[in-house]
């Protein structure tokens, strides 16, 4: 975490990173709910230290893709790797074996997730929310966890709110606590599913600021968002999804200024 | 226009009918109390004599013990059944459903009679591999005495009702809580224990309080087993000797009432404890960006389940017997009307 805080631009880190440079590697990932095929052969790479923004109309499968990365959903076809390891399965010989719940849970520890509706634990204070997983999942000593949680809350600008319950925090504050809670597990990848969509407009900025700072520290991030300003300013790549396929992908400034596909043009025409 | 607006000083609207109704009610009540105090049939002298009779006090303790043991076992088994009913395994789910079907579908009185006949139906309890000679064999009659048969009967019946209460509580917790906990790497058990159940408690406690109160009164049915050292059974036995049932019915009622009153106070404090962090709702989610994403509008509204307690807790406040509105229940609770009267010996 400290290394992450002090590191320079992420491009330097990406170059220095060990192993393959890929944090997420999706190859032909498909997913159906019953007869409704939500993801149709998604192929995507997210490099270590990269910030990828995903946009697309409602129902295009953005949330589902994030949930697959975190193995909250099983994929039906294709291969999905995070940091070189298959998500939810193990490959032995030419066979795939489903992971035991315990092993799957261990994989999730390294992936932080931030939800549109925050999903803070309402019966715990901000501080308790942040230390919950380190203490309960990693078995960290409470004193250590509290110290780190305080640092994290300070980092998201909420040092004064450690003892407040979620119901007493504004939406923006709740989302920042949620980010701190995810960071407390020291993830190597952060997934954001429309983190500012449920916020009043005046609260969006404070959450985006925290995310910008996180991006600058070198965190690998996949952000589903409709904040085009954020995408333009912070993202390394932009993906436009529609109907479960990646329609267009590229440098965010280029895609936003000069979309190649009709569907992208139509969508951007509506949201910009 | 900076001047202060004028305070309203109006003649209060009078409610003559309300006043009249109140007066009539108070008068009727006073009449009844005066009459009852002087009516020989109530036998107040005998009431005073037996209220703290050692046999009655011991019986009151027995009733409490029956209630506590049955309730604890009923809650534990109920949680297990609730989790079984939410299991993805269809066999496990069906077994739980079958249990509820049988135990909620038959009167608790009949169940208690069956438990009393356990030794007749199963003379011995064998432990070992089925269809081979048992390793250990118990004589049922010597192993389990009637008190514990009563506890088993009450607990198994209670579990069926608790299962539904716990299940409703678990289902009232937002699915997002599950997801957030899972995403943090918490196991299913941890998620249940640390995240879901503590929140479900808010929904579970009010009807459970009613269940405890209801259980306290249902213990008066244990004569069916037959166990007769509970409060009502003892009162009945004493009055059988004195040929004066009414004062002893009043004695038993007084004790039941005292216990339920204490339970209601306890329930109030438990409810307060488990509303931690949720007591003050505040609107934090608005669909202000609804134009951009269809999903946002669904996020509006308070934490699910907060409002659903209202009905149940008001029922608790008035000491009502019903568990909750959607469960048709017909458990006999009036000690005076149980069919046990004639078999006290
Ligand atoms: N658990 C589920 N069961 C069945 N269908 C689902 C489930 N989750 C998502 N879907 C369906 O999958 C499709 C894609 O949903 P998804 O939430 O991934 O879209 P999205 O791009 O995130 O949209 P939004 O912008 O509204 O969040 C939708 O048609 C949705 O109804
Ligand atoms: Mg979504």
């Amino acid at each position: 975490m400290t290394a992450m805080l002090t590191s320079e631009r992420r491009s330097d880190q990406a170059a220095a990173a060990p192993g393959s440079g890929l944090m997420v590697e999706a190859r032909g990932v498909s997913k159906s709910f019953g007869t409704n095929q939500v993801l149709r052969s998604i192929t995507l790479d997210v490099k270590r230290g990269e910030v990828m923004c995903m946009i697309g109309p409602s129902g295009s499968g953005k949330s589902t893709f994030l949930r697959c990365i975190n193995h909250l959903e099983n994929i039906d076809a294709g291969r999905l790797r995070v940091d070189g390891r298959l998500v939810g399965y193990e490959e032995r010989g030419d066979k795939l074996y489903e992971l035991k719940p315990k092993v799957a849970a261990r994989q999730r520890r390294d992936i932080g997730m931030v939800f549109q509706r925050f999903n803070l634990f309402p019966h715990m204070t901000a501080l308790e929310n942040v230390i919950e997983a380190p203490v309960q999942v990693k078995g960290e000593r409470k004193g250590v966890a509290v110290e780190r949680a305080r640092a994290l809350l300070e980092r998201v600008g909420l040092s004064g709110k450690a003892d407040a319950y979620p119901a007493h925090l504004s939406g923006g504050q709740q989302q920042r606590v949620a980010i701190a809670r995810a960071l407390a597990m020291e993830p190597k990848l952060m997934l954001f599913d429309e983190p500012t969509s449920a916020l009043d407009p005046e609260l969006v900025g404070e959450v985006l600021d925290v995310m910008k700072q996180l991006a600058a520290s070198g965190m690998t991030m996949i952000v589903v968002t409709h904040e085009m300003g954020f995408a333009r300013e912070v993202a390394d790549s932009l993906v436009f999804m529609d109907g479960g396929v990646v329609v267009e992908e590229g440098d965010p400034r280029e895609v936003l200024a000069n979309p190649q596909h009709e569907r992208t043009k139509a969508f951007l025409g509506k949201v910009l | 226009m900076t001047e202060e607006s004028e305070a309203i000083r109006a003649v209060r609207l009078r409610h003559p009918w309300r006043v009249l109704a109140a007066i009539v009610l108070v008068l009727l009540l006073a009449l009844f109390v005066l009459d009852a105090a002087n009516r020989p049939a109530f036998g107040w002298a005998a009431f005073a004599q037996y209220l703290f009779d050692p046999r009655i006090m011991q019986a009151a303790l027995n009733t409490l013990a029956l209630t506590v043991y049955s309730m604890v076992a009923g809650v534990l088994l109920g949680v297990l059944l609730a989790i079984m009913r939410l299991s993805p395994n269809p066999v496990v789910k069906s077994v739980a459903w079958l249990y509820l079907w049988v135990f909620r579908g038959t009167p608790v009185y009949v169940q208690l009679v069956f438990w009393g006949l356990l030794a007749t139906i199963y003379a011995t309890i064998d432990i070992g591999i089925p269809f081979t000679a048992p390793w250990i064999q118990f004589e049922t009659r010597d192993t389990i005495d009637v008190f514990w048969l009563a506890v088993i009967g009450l607990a198994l019946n209670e579990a069926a009702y608790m299962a539904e209460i716990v299940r409703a509580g678990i289902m009232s917790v937002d699915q997002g809580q599950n997801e957030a906990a899972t995403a943090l790497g918490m196991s299913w058990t941890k998620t249940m224990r640390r995240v879901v159940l503590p929140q479900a408690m808010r929904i579970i406690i009010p009807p459970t309080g009613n269940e405890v109160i209801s259980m306290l009164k249902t213990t008066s049915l244990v004569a069916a087993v037959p166990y007769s050292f509970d409060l009502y059974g003892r009162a009945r036995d004493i009055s059988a000797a004195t040929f004066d049932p009414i004062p002893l019915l009043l004695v038993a009622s007084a004790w039941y009432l005292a216990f339920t009153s204490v339970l209601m106070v306890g329930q109030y404090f438990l409810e307060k404890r488990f509303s931690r962090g949720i007591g003050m709702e505040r609107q934090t989610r608005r669909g202000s960006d609804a134009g951009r994403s269809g999903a946002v509008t669904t996020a509006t509204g308070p934490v699910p389940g907060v409002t659903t307690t209202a009905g149940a807790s008001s029922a608790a406040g008035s000491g009502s017997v019903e568990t909750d509105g959607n469960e048709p229940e017909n458990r006999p609770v009036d000690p005076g009307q149980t069919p046990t009267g004639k078999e006290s010996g």
Side-chain angles (χ1 to χ4, degrees), chain A residues 10 50-55 227-239 248-259 264 268 272:
Chain A
R10 54 188 169 279
E50 177 177 339
V51 174
M52 174 185 277
C53 277
M54 296 183 90
I55 57 172
E227 295 296 332
M228 299 305 168
F230 177 84
R232 198 177 285 124
E233 192 184 331
V234 181
D236 300 298
S237 59
L238 182 68
V239 170
E248 190 161 349
E249 178 186 5
D251 181 85
R253 284 152 291 270
E254 238 152 72
V255 174
L256 289 176
N258 195 5
T264 321
L268 289 177
L272 283 181

Side-chain angles (χ1 to χ4, degrees), chain A residues 114-120 171 174-175 178 181 193-198, chain B residues 174-177 284-285 295-304:
Chain A
V114 174
F115 302 86
Q116 179 176 1
R117 290 171 50 202
F118 330 134
N119 294 350
L120 288 179
Q174 286 191 58
Q175 194 61 297
R181 176 176 72 173
D193 192 359
E194 304 199 35
T196 58
S197 297
Chain B
D174 183 10
Q175 184 55 32
Q177 293 290 308
T284 49
R285 303 160 189 160
V296 182
T297 45
T298 62
T300 320
V303 179

Side-chain angles (χ1 to χ4, degrees), chain A residues 67 70 72 105 108 111 113 115-117 119-124 128 132-133 136-137 165 167-169 171 174 181 185 194 196-201 226-227, chain B residues 174 176-177 179-187 190 193-195 198-199 276-278 280-282 284-286 288-289 292-296 298-299 303-304:
Chain A
R67 292 164 54 81
N70 207 1
L72 290 170
R108 285 194 198 97
I111 305 172
M113 189 151 187
F115 302 86
Q116 179 176 1
R117 290 171 50 202
N119 294 350
L120 288 179
F121 304 135
H123 57 303
M124 300 179 192
E128 286 168 344
E132 180 65 12
Q136 294 295 327
V137 178
Y165 284 100
H168 300 174
L169 297 173
Q174 286 191 58
R181 176 176 72 173
M185 290 299 278
E194 304 199 35
T196 58
S197 297
L199 297 177
D200 287 339
H226 295 289
E227 295 296 332
Chain B
D174 183 10
Q177 293 290 308
E179 221 152 74
T182 309
L184 285 167
M186 289 169 91
S187 67
K190 272 256 152 75
R193 206 164 50 77
R194 300 283 311 173
V195 176
Q199 292 180 62
R276 202 161 78 105
I278 306 147
M280 265 173 68
E281 254 324 299
R282 194 173 138 172
T284 49
R285 303 160 189 160
R286 304 233 195 95
S288 48
D289 284 11
R292 297 188 195 164
S293 162
V296 182
T298 62
V303 179

Side-chain angles (χ1 to χ4, degrees), chain A residues 33 36 38 56-64 73 193-194 226, chain B residues 293-295:
Chain A
F33 292 109
N36 179 13
V38 176
S58 182
S60 55
K62 309 175 300 285
S63 298
T64 305
E73 303 282 359
D193 192 359
E194 304 199 35
H226 295 289
Chain B
S293 162

Side-chain angles (χ1 to χ4, degrees), chain B residues 45-61 231 234-235 237-239 242 247-248 251-252 255:
Chain B
F47 173 83
Q49 179 194 338
Y50 284 109
L51 187 58
F52 297 107
D53 185 287
R55 287 171 295 175
I56 290 289
M57 305 249 279
Q58 181 58 48
L61 274 182
L231 196 45
R234 212 76 183 102
D237 287 350
I238 295 173
S239 64
T242 61
L248 279 146
V251 166
W255 278 100

